[in-house]
Amino acid sequence: WLSLIVLKNRIGNSDYEFEDLPNNRNKLPDAIQLTDNAQLPDLEESWRWAHVHCNEVEGRNFSFLQKKIATQPGFAVCRLLCPRKLKPATKYSAFIVPTYLLGLEAALGTENTNTDRSKYSWNIKDNLAGTIIPYYYKWEFRTGLSGDFEEVLRLMKPNPIKNLGGKAINIDNPGYGLL
């Protein structure tokens, strides 16, 4: 129900992607307005951008997970991912925003006429210039000249280990619905 978006910041970027809006809305989140060149992720794929990591799991025992998280909050870590490829030496702002239109309208304080709870906050096929998006959290950062994740991966070289492996494995029926 939440997504992470990253947009080029006005400061230092001639092709900035949003404007901050003044908040005259009592107790409602701040909001931004998108510019003509804003690049947003496709919310149809938003299910790919959330991740939960647990340090130990007992099969698919959800009551175990529920009890463990209730008593040890650090047991599970949740992450929101942003699928955008970032440019070097660029200032960005990151926002936690509502994924669904129902949440977007509630955060804007507008009357909700939408009855489809699965309708997304935006569609990348539409012209999004002027779209107002409320956000729950914002932070800014600047990318470096080099050293992004992709570059680090490209620099990695395999280090073969001698006398390891070499045993044939039958994968005709791997299970887990893989074939």
Side-chain angles (χ1 to χ4, degrees), residues 135-176:
Y135 62 88
Y136 300 110
Y137 192 75
K138 171 187 177 181
W139 70 96
E140 296 177 351
F141 63 95
R142 183 180 301 275
T143 55
L145 292 174
S146 65
D148 67 356
F149 187 70
E150 182 179 348
E151 186 177 334
V152 170
L153 286 177
R154 290 185 190 281
L155 291 172
M156 293 176 73
K157 302 290 181 222
N159 187 9
I161 301 173
K162 294 180 182 178
N163 302 324
L164 184 67
K167 185 169 185 160
I169 313 173
N170 181 345
I171 60 165
D172 288 342
N173 187 10
Y176 301 104

mmCIF file of all heavy atoms in Angstrom, residues 135-176:
data_model
loop_
_atom_site.group_PDB
_atom_site.id
_atom_site.type_symbol
_atom_site.label_atom_id
_atom_site.label_comp_id
_atom_site.label_asym_id
_atom_site.label_seq_id
_atom_site.Cartn_x
_atom_site.Cartn_y
_atom_site.Cartn_z
ATOM 1 N N TYR A 135 2.860 12.728 0.277
ATOM 2 C CA TYR A 135 3.903 11.802 0.732
ATOM 3 C C TYR A 135 3.940 11.776 2.252
ATOM 4 O O TYR A 135 3.603 12.742 2.927
ATOM 5 C CB TYR A 135 5.261 12.164 0.136
ATOM 6 C CG TYR A 135 5.796 13.517 0.517
ATOM 7 C CD1 TYR A 135 6.555 13.691 1.672
ATOM 8 C CD2 TYR A 135 5.550 14.630 -0.278
ATOM 9 C CE1 TYR A 135 7.048 14.932 2.020
ATOM 10 C CE2 TYR A 135 6.042 15.871 0.058
ATOM 11 C CZ TYR A 135 6.796 16.018 1.208
ATOM 12 O OH TYR A 135 7.279 17.248 1.551
ATOM 13 N N TYR A 136 4.374 10.623 2.768
ATOM 14 C CA TYR A 136 4.445 10.420 4.213
ATOM 15 C C TYR A 136 5.841 10.685 4.754
ATOM 16 O O TYR A 136 6.005 10.982 5.935
ATOM 17 C CB TYR A 136 4.009 8.999 4.571
ATOM 18 C CG TYR A 136 2.602 8.721 4.135
ATOM 19 C CD1 TYR A 136 2.332 7.841 3.097
ATOM 20 C CD2 TYR A 136 1.525 9.364 4.738
ATOM 21 C CE1 TYR A 136 1.033 7.596 2.683
ATOM 22 C CE2 TYR A 136 0.225 9.127 4.329
ATOM 23 C CZ TYR A 136 -0.008 8.243 3.298
ATOM 24 O OH TYR A 136 -1.296 8.019 2.888
ATOM 25 N N TYR A 137 6.837 10.549 3.888
ATOM 26 C CA TYR A 137 8.221 10.767 4.323
ATOM 27 C C TYR A 137 9.038 11.169 3.107
ATOM 28 O O TYR A 137 8.792 10.690 1.998
ATOM 29 C CB TYR A 137 8.777 9.480 4.952
ATOM 30 C CG TYR A 137 10.080 9.680 5.674
ATOM 31 C CD1 TYR A 137 10.115 10.298 6.924
ATOM 32 C CD2 TYR A 137 11.280 9.269 5.102
ATOM 33 C CE1 TYR A 137 11.317 10.492 7.586
ATOM 34 C CE2 TYR A 137 12.486 9.452 5.766
ATOM 35 C CZ TYR A 137 12.491 10.070 7.004
ATOM 36 O OH TYR A 137 13.679 10.267 7.658
ATOM 37 N N LYS A 138 10.012 12.043 3.332
ATOM 38 C CA LYS A 138 10.851 12.539 2.236
ATOM 39 C C LYS A 138 12.291 12.654 2.734
ATOM 40 O O LYS A 138 12.524 13.035 3.886
ATOM 41 C CB LYS A 138 10.359 13.915 1.795
ATOM 42 C CG LYS A 138 11.269 14.639 0.819
ATOM 43 C CD LYS A 138 10.780 16.067 0.572
ATOM 44 C CE LYS A 138 11.718 16.827 -0.335
ATOM 45 N NZ LYS A 138 11.273 18.201 -0.553
ATOM 46 N N TRP A 139 13.239 12.316 1.875
ATOM 47 C CA TRP A 139 14.640 12.602 2.154
ATOM 48 C C TRP A 139 15.348 12.910 0.843
ATOM 49 O O TRP A 139 14.861 12.567 -0.221
ATOM 50 C CB TRP A 139 15.319 11.483 2.929
ATOM 51 C CG TRP A 139 15.538 10.206 2.179
ATOM 52 C CD1 TRP A 139 16.673 9.818 1.526
ATOM 53 C CD2 TRP A 139 14.598 9.128 2.015
ATOM 54 N NE1 TRP A 139 16.495 8.575 0.969
ATOM 55 C CE2 TRP A 139 15.237 8.130 1.254
ATOM 56 C CE3 TRP A 139 13.283 8.916 2.434
ATOM 57 C CZ2 TRP A 139 14.603 6.945 0.903
ATOM 58 C CZ3 TRP A 139 12.668 7.736 2.080
ATOM 59 C CH2 TRP A 139 13.322 6.768 1.335
ATOM 60 N N GLU A 140 16.468 13.596 0.958
ATOM 61 C CA GLU A 140 17.225 13.996 -0.219
ATOM 62 C C GLU A 140 18.592 13.333 -0.200
ATOM 63 O O GLU A 140 19.141 13.061 0.867
ATOM 64 C CB GLU A 140 17.390 15.519 -0.247
ATOM 65 C CG GLU A 140 16.080 16.247 -0.378
ATOM 66 C CD GLU A 140 16.236 17.763 -0.326
ATOM 67 O OE1 GLU A 140 17.348 18.252 -0.026
ATOM 68 O OE2 GLU A 140 15.239 18.446 -0.584
ATOM 69 N N PHE A 141 19.140 13.117 -1.381
ATOM 70 C CA PHE A 141 20.478 12.566 -1.494
ATOM 71 C C PHE A 141 21.057 12.947 -2.848
ATOM 72 O O PHE A 141 20.347 13.392 -3.739
ATOM 73 C CB PHE A 141 20.470 11.034 -1.314
ATOM 74 C CG PHE A 141 19.696 10.298 -2.373
ATOM 75 C CD1 PHE A 141 20.346 9.779 -3.487
ATOM 76 C CD2 PHE A 141 18.321 10.115 -2.263
ATOM 77 C CE1 PHE A 141 19.635 9.095 -4.465
ATOM 78 C CE2 PHE A 141 17.609 9.433 -3.242
ATOM 79 C CZ PHE A 141 18.263 8.923 -4.340
ATOM 80 N N ARG A 142 22.340 12.779 -2.979
ATOM 81 C CA ARG A 142 23.027 13.062 -4.227
ATOM 82 C C ARG A 142 23.843 11.821 -4.598
ATOM 83 O O ARG A 142 24.474 11.217 -3.755
ATOM 84 C CB ARG A 142 23.947 14.266 -4.063
ATOM 85 C CG ARG A 142 24.653 14.683 -5.330
ATOM 86 C CD ARG A 142 25.562 15.886 -5.110
ATOM 87 N NE ARG A 142 24.848 17.045 -4.624
ATOM 88 C CZ ARG A 142 24.218 17.939 -5.385
ATOM 89 N NH1 ARG A 142 24.217 17.790 -6.693
ATOM 90 N NH2 ARG A 142 23.612 18.973 -4.867
ATOM 91 N N THR A 143 23.803 11.474 -5.868
ATOM 92 C CA THR A 143 24.596 10.340 -6.339
ATOM 93 C C THR A 143 26.018 10.813 -6.608
ATOM 94 O O THR A 143 26.266 11.981 -6.916
ATOM 95 C CB THR A 143 23.986 9.736 -7.618
ATOM 96 O OG1 THR A 143 23.835 10.763 -8.595
ATOM 97 C CG2 THR A 143 22.641 9.088 -7.332
ATOM 98 N N GLY A 144 26.961 9.885 -6.494
ATOM 99 C CA GLY A 144 28.364 10.191 -6.762
ATOM 100 C C GLY A 144 28.673 10.088 -8.244
ATOM 101 O O GLY A 144 27.811 9.778 -9.071
ATOM 102 N N LEU A 145 29.928 10.337 -8.565
ATOM 103 C CA LEU A 145 30.349 10.253 -9.962
ATOM 104 C C LEU A 145 30.465 8.815 -10.432
ATOM 105 O O LEU A 145 30.279 8.514 -11.598
ATOM 106 C CB LEU A 145 31.690 10.976 -10.152
ATOM 107 C CG LEU A 145 31.619 12.488 -9.981
ATOM 108 C CD1 LEU A 145 33.014 13.085 -10.038
ATOM 109 C CD2 LEU A 145 30.734 13.101 -11.047
ATOM 110 N N SER A 146 30.822 7.917 -9.525
ATOM 111 C CA SER A 146 30.942 6.507 -9.891
ATOM 112 C C SER A 146 30.743 5.659 -8.649
ATOM 113 O O SER A 146 30.621 6.180 -7.548
ATOM 114 C CB SER A 146 32.312 6.221 -10.510
ATOM 115 O OG SER A 146 33.315 6.419 -9.533
ATOM 116 N N GLY A 147 30.725 4.350 -8.840
ATOM 117 C CA GLY A 147 30.626 3.448 -7.702
ATOM 118 C C GLY A 147 29.215 3.011 -7.371
ATOM 119 O O GLY A 147 28.954 2.607 -6.248
ATOM 120 N N ASP A 148 28.302 3.063 -8.346
ATOM 121 C CA ASP A 148 26.954 2.582 -8.066
ATOM 122 C C ASP A 148 26.959 1.060 -8.002
ATOM 123 O O ASP A 148 27.958 0.393 -8.278
ATOM 124 C CB ASP A 148 25.945 3.115 -9.086
ATOM 125 C CG ASP A 148 26.149 2.572 -10.494
ATOM 126 O OD1 ASP A 148 27.118 1.823 -10.718
ATOM 127 O OD2 ASP A 148 25.334 2.891 -11.367
ATOM 128 N N PHE A 149 25.843 0.506 -7.604
ATOM 129 C CA PHE A 149 25.724 -0.935 -7.402
ATOM 130 C C PHE A 149 26.066 -1.713 -8.672
ATOM 131 O O PHE A 149 26.786 -2.702 -8.648
ATOM 132 C CB PHE A 149 24.309 -1.263 -6.919
ATOM 133 C CG PHE A 149 24.122 -2.688 -6.518
ATOM 134 C CD1 PHE A 149 24.713 -3.187 -5.368
ATOM 135 C CD2 PHE A 149 23.351 -3.549 -7.286
ATOM 136 C CE1 PHE A 149 24.547 -4.498 -4.999
ATOM 137 C CE2 PHE A 149 23.179 -4.864 -6.923
ATOM 138 C CZ PHE A 149 23.776 -5.338 -5.767
ATOM 139 N N GLU A 150 25.567 -1.247 -9.796
ATOM 140 C CA GLU A 150 25.830 -1.926 -11.072
ATOM 141 C C GLU A 150 27.330 -1.936 -11.386
ATOM 142 O O GLU A 150 27.870 -2.943 -11.814
ATOM 143 C CB GLU A 150 25.059 -1.244 -12.194
ATOM 144 C CG GLU A 150 25.244 -1.917 -13.538
ATOM 145 C CD GLU A 150 24.455 -1.248 -14.652
ATOM 146 O OE1 GLU A 150 23.588 -0.401 -14.365
ATOM 147 O OE2 GLU A 150 24.717 -1.588 -15.812
ATOM 148 N N GLU A 151 28.000 -0.814 -11.158
ATOM 149 C CA GLU A 151 29.440 -0.743 -11.428
ATOM 150 C C GLU A 151 30.222 -1.702 -10.533
ATOM 151 O O GLU A 151 31.150 -2.376 -10.981
ATOM 152 C CB GLU A 151 29.932 0.685 -11.219
ATOM 153 C CG GLU A 151 31.378 0.878 -11.609
ATOM 154 C CD GLU A 151 31.826 2.317 -11.470
ATOM 155 O OE1 GLU A 151 30.982 3.227 -11.554
ATOM 156 O OE2 GLU A 151 33.036 2.522 -11.283
ATOM 157 N N VAL A 152 29.857 -1.771 -9.262
ATOM 158 C CA VAL A 152 30.527 -2.685 -8.341
ATOM 159 C C VAL A 152 30.339 -4.131 -8.800
ATOM 160 O O VAL A 152 31.280 -4.925 -8.806
ATOM 161 C CB VAL A 152 30.008 -2.486 -6.896
ATOM 162 C CG1 VAL A 152 30.511 -3.579 -5.970
ATOM 163 C CG2 VAL A 152 30.409 -1.119 -6.381
ATOM 164 N N LEU A 153 29.128 -4.485 -9.225
ATOM 165 C CA LEU A 153 28.887 -5.851 -9.702
ATOM 166 C C LEU A 153 29.717 -6.164 -10.948
ATOM 167 O O LEU A 153 30.239 -7.269 -11.090
ATOM 168 C CB LEU A 153 27.409 -6.048 -10.009
ATOM 169 C CG LEU A 153 26.503 -6.168 -8.800
ATOM 170 C CD1 LEU A 153 25.050 -6.278 -9.232
ATOM 171 C CD2 LEU A 153 26.881 -7.338 -7.934
ATOM 172 N N ARG A 154 29.850 -5.204 -11.840
ATOM 173 C CA ARG A 154 30.635 -5.426 -13.061
ATOM 174 C C ARG A 154 32.120 -5.611 -12.754
ATOM 175 O O ARG A 154 32.836 -6.261 -13.505
ATOM 176 C CB ARG A 154 30.426 -4.282 -14.043
ATOM 177 C CG ARG A 154 29.022 -4.277 -14.635
ATOM 178 C CD ARG A 154 28.868 -3.209 -15.704
ATOM 179 N NE ARG A 154 27.498 -3.045 -16.112
ATOM 180 C CZ ARG A 154 26.855 -3.848 -16.943
ATOM 181 N NH1 ARG A 154 27.453 -4.893 -17.452
ATOM 182 N NH2 ARG A 154 25.591 -3.623 -17.255
ATOM 183 N N LEU A 155 32.595 -5.036 -11.661
ATOM 184 C CA LEU A 155 33.994 -5.178 -11.277
ATOM 185 C C LEU A 155 34.290 -6.532 -10.626
ATOM 186 O O LEU A 155 35.443 -6.954 -10.565
ATOM 187 C CB LEU A 155 34.400 -4.059 -10.316
ATOM 188 C CG LEU A 155 34.467 -2.660 -10.909
ATOM 189 C CD1 LEU A 155 34.684 -1.617 -9.803
ATOM 190 C CD2 LEU A 155 35.565 -2.565 -11.960
ATOM 191 N N MET A 156 33.253 -7.195 -10.138
ATOM 192 C CA MET A 156 33.454 -8.485 -9.469
ATOM 193 C C MET A 156 33.849 -9.552 -10.478
ATOM 194 O O MET A 156 33.293 -9.630 -11.563
ATOM 195 C CB MET A 156 32.181 -8.900 -8.723
ATOM 196 C CG MET A 156 31.847 -8.003 -7.568
ATOM 197 S SD MET A 156 30.289 -8.438 -6.782
ATOM 198 C CE MET A 156 30.757 -9.921 -5.935
ATOM 199 N N LYS A 157 34.819 -10.340 -10.112
ATOM 200 C CA LYS A 157 35.278 -11.442 -10.955
ATOM 201 C C LYS A 157 35.120 -12.741 -10.175
ATOM 202 O O LYS A 157 35.415 -12.791 -8.974
ATOM 203 C CB LYS A 157 36.753 -11.260 -11.337
ATOM 204 C CG LYS A 157 37.049 -9.967 -12.063
ATOM 205 C CD LYS A 157 36.459 -9.968 -13.447
ATOM 206 C CE LYS A 157 36.792 -8.682 -14.167
ATOM 207 N NZ LYS A 157 35.721 -8.123 -14.901
ATOM 208 N N PRO A 158 34.681 -13.796 -10.853
ATOM 209 C CA PRO A 158 34.551 -15.071 -10.144
ATOM 210 C C PRO A 158 35.922 -15.602 -9.741
ATOM 211 O O PRO A 158 36.904 -15.410 -10.444
ATOM 212 C CB PRO A 158 33.877 -15.986 -11.172
ATOM 213 C CG PRO A 158 34.127 -15.342 -12.489
ATOM 214 C CD PRO A 158 34.302 -13.877 -12.244
ATOM 215 N N ASN A 159 35.953 -16.232 -8.611
ATOM 216 C CA ASN A 159 37.181 -16.840 -8.109
ATOM 217 C C ASN A 159 36.948 -18.342 -8.013
ATOM 218 O O ASN A 159 36.416 -18.827 -7.014
ATOM 219 C CB ASN A 159 37.541 -16.247 -6.743
ATOM 220 C CG ASN A 159 38.892 -16.708 -6.255
ATOM 221 O OD1 ASN A 159 39.641 -17.334 -6.995
ATOM 222 N ND2 ASN A 159 39.203 -16.390 -5.007
ATOM 223 N N PRO A 160 37.313 -19.075 -9.058
ATOM 224 C CA PRO A 160 37.035 -20.515 -9.036
ATOM 225 C C PRO A 160 37.785 -21.223 -7.918
ATOM 226 O O PRO A 160 38.932 -20.899 -7.620
ATOM 227 C CB PRO A 160 37.515 -20.995 -10.406
ATOM 228 C CG PRO A 160 38.262 -19.880 -11.024
ATOM 229 C CD PRO A 160 38.027 -18.646 -10.227
ATOM 230 N N ILE A 161 37.096 -22.160 -7.290
ATOM 231 C CA ILE A 161 37.696 -22.958 -6.224
ATOM 232 C C ILE A 161 38.019 -24.327 -6.799
ATOM 233 O O ILE A 161 37.147 -25.003 -7.348
ATOM 234 C CB ILE A 161 36.726 -23.073 -5.027
ATOM 235 C CG1 ILE A 161 36.397 -21.678 -4.504
ATOM 236 C CG2 ILE A 161 37.326 -23.943 -3.936
ATOM 237 C CD1 ILE A 161 35.325 -21.669 -3.443
ATOM 238 N N LYS A 162 39.266 -24.716 -6.662
ATOM 239 C CA LYS A 162 39.701 -25.997 -7.212
ATOM 240 C C LYS A 162 39.168 -27.145 -6.366
ATOM 241 O O LYS A 162 38.996 -27.015 -5.153
ATOM 242 C CB LYS A 162 41.224 -26.051 -7.260
ATOM 243 C CG LYS A 162 41.807 -25.054 -8.234
ATOM 244 C CD LYS A 162 43.304 -25.136 -8.269
ATOM 245 C CE LYS A 162 43.815 -24.073 -9.239
ATOM 246 N NZ LYS A 162 45.249 -24.059 -9.298
ATOM 247 N N ASN A 163 38.911 -28.264 -7.020
ATOM 248 C CA ASN A 163 38.468 -29.502 -6.378
ATOM 249 C C ASN A 163 37.136 -29.343 -5.640
ATOM 250 O O ASN A 163 36.917 -29.957 -4.603
ATOM 251 C CB ASN A 163 39.534 -30.041 -5.419
ATOM 252 C CG ASN A 163 40.840 -30.299 -6.126
ATOM 253 O OD1 ASN A 163 40.855 -30.717 -7.282
ATOM 254 N ND2 ASN A 163 41.945 -30.018 -5.450
ATOM 255 N N LEU A 164 36.272 -28.486 -6.141
ATOM 256 C CA LEU A 164 34.960 -28.320 -5.531
ATOM 257 C C LEU A 164 33.914 -28.517 -6.609
ATOM 258 O O LEU A 164 34.029 -27.985 -7.705
ATOM 259 C CB LEU A 164 34.812 -26.928 -4.908
ATOM 260 C CG LEU A 164 33.516 -26.664 -4.169
ATOM 261 C CD1 LEU A 164 33.438 -27.529 -2.922
ATOM 262 C CD2 LEU A 164 33.411 -25.210 -3.787
ATOM 263 N N GLY A 165 32.898 -29.258 -6.323
ATOM 264 C CA GLY A 165 31.837 -29.497 -7.292
ATOM 265 C C GLY A 165 32.205 -30.637 -8.215
ATOM 266 O O GLY A 165 33.101 -31.425 -7.959
ATOM 267 N N GLY A 166 31.500 -30.733 -9.292
ATOM 268 C CA GLY A 166 31.807 -31.780 -10.253
ATOM 269 C C GLY A 166 30.907 -32.993 -10.140
ATOM 270 O O GLY A 166 31.041 -33.930 -10.919
ATOM 271 N N LYS A 167 29.996 -32.997 -9.180
ATOM 272 C CA LYS A 167 29.098 -34.133 -9.051
ATOM 273 C C LYS A 167 27.817 -33.835 -9.846
ATOM 274 O O LYS A 167 27.246 -32.751 -9.720
ATOM 275 C CB LYS A 167 28.754 -34.370 -7.588
ATOM 276 C CG LYS A 167 27.929 -35.608 -7.378
ATOM 277 C CD LYS A 167 27.837 -35.958 -5.916
ATOM 278 C CE LYS A 167 27.098 -37.271 -5.830
ATOM 279 N NZ LYS A 167 27.335 -37.945 -4.580
ATOM 280 N N ALA A 168 27.406 -34.789 -10.660
ATOM 281 C CA ALA A 168 26.194 -34.619 -11.464
ATOM 282 C C ALA A 168 24.960 -34.614 -10.561
ATOM 283 O O ALA A 168 24.890 -35.349 -9.581
ATOM 284 C CB ALA A 168 26.090 -35.737 -12.493
ATOM 285 N N ILE A 169 23.992 -33.786 -10.902
ATOM 286 C CA ILE A 169 22.747 -33.697 -10.145
ATOM 287 C C ILE A 169 21.589 -33.893 -11.117
ATOM 288 O O ILE A 169 21.575 -33.327 -12.196
ATOM 289 C CB ILE A 169 22.575 -32.315 -9.491
ATOM 290 C CG1 ILE A 169 23.827 -31.858 -8.776
ATOM 291 C CG2 ILE A 169 21.423 -32.336 -8.509
ATOM 292 C CD1 ILE A 169 23.736 -30.424 -8.280
ATOM 293 N N ASN A 170 20.604 -34.660 -10.697
ATOM 294 C CA ASN A 170 19.417 -34.880 -11.499
ATOM 295 C C ASN A 170 18.382 -33.825 -11.111
ATOM 296 O O ASN A 170 17.920 -33.779 -9.979
ATOM 297 C CB ASN A 170 18.860 -36.288 -11.254
ATOM 298 C CG ASN A 170 17.636 -36.563 -12.104
ATOM 299 O OD1 ASN A 170 17.031 -35.661 -12.667
ATOM 300 N ND2 ASN A 170 17.285 -37.821 -12.193
ATOM 301 N N ILE A 171 18.009 -32.968 -12.083
ATOM 302 C CA ILE A 171 17.009 -31.935 -11.803
ATOM 303 C C ILE A 171 15.742 -32.141 -12.630
ATOM 304 O O ILE A 171 15.036 -31.205 -12.956
ATOM 305 C CB ILE A 171 17.594 -30.523 -12.061
ATOM 306 C CG1 ILE A 171 18.048 -30.368 -13.509
ATOM 307 C CG2 ILE A 171 18.676 -30.178 -11.077
ATOM 308 C CD1 ILE A 171 18.292 -28.943 -13.911
ATOM 309 N N ASP A 172 15.470 -33.406 -12.966
ATOM 310 C CA ASP A 172 14.255 -33.706 -13.730
ATOM 311 C C ASP A 172 12.995 -33.287 -12.970
ATOM 312 O O ASP A 172 12.006 -32.903 -13.571
ATOM 313 C CB ASP A 172 14.186 -35.206 -14.050
ATOM 314 C CG ASP A 172 15.198 -35.621 -15.092
ATOM 315 O OD1 ASP A 172 15.709 -34.724 -15.805
ATOM 316 O OD2 ASP A 172 15.515 -36.807 -15.180
ATOM 317 N N ASN A 173 13.015 -33.381 -11.640
ATOM 318 C CA ASN A 173 11.849 -33.023 -10.839
ATOM 319 C C ASN A 173 12.298 -32.203 -9.630
ATOM 320 O O ASN A 173 12.383 -32.711 -8.519
ATOM 321 C CB ASN A 173 11.129 -34.298 -10.388
ATOM 322 C CG ASN A 173 9.811 -34.004 -9.693
ATOM 323 O OD1 ASN A 173 9.343 -32.863 -9.712
ATOM 324 N ND2 ASN A 173 9.234 -35.003 -9.071
ATOM 325 N N PRO A 174 12.566 -30.902 -9.817
ATOM 326 C CA PRO A 174 13.096 -30.097 -8.722
ATOM 327 C C PRO A 174 12.043 -29.751 -7.660
ATOM 328 O O PRO A 174 12.384 -29.319 -6.561
ATOM 329 C CB PRO A 174 13.605 -28.829 -9.406
ATOM 330 C CG PRO A 174 12.782 -28.725 -10.629
ATOM 331 C CD PRO A 174 12.472 -30.124 -11.052
ATOM 332 N N GLY A 175 10.739 -29.894 -7.980
ATOM 333 C CA GLY A 175 9.700 -29.555 -7.018
ATOM 334 C C GLY A 175 9.415 -28.063 -6.998
ATOM 335 O O GLY A 175 9.891 -27.316 -7.839
ATOM 336 N N TYR A 176 8.644 -27.620 -6.017
ATOM 337 C CA TYR A 176 8.292 -26.217 -5.817
ATOM 338 C C TYR A 176 7.664 -25.580 -7.067
ATOM 339 O O TYR A 176 7.754 -24.387 -7.274
ATOM 340 C CB TYR A 176 9.511 -25.405 -5.383
ATOM 341 C CG TYR A 176 10.133 -25.910 -4.116
ATOM 342 C CD1 TYR A 176 11.322 -26.643 -4.148
ATOM 343 C CD2 TYR A 176 9.525 -25.690 -2.888
ATOM 344 C CE1 TYR A 176 11.883 -27.132 -2.984
ATOM 345 C CE2 TYR A 176 10.086 -26.176 -1.720
ATOM 346 C CZ TYR A 176 11.265 -26.893 -1.771
ATOM 347 O OH TYR A 176 11.805 -27.359 -0.625
#
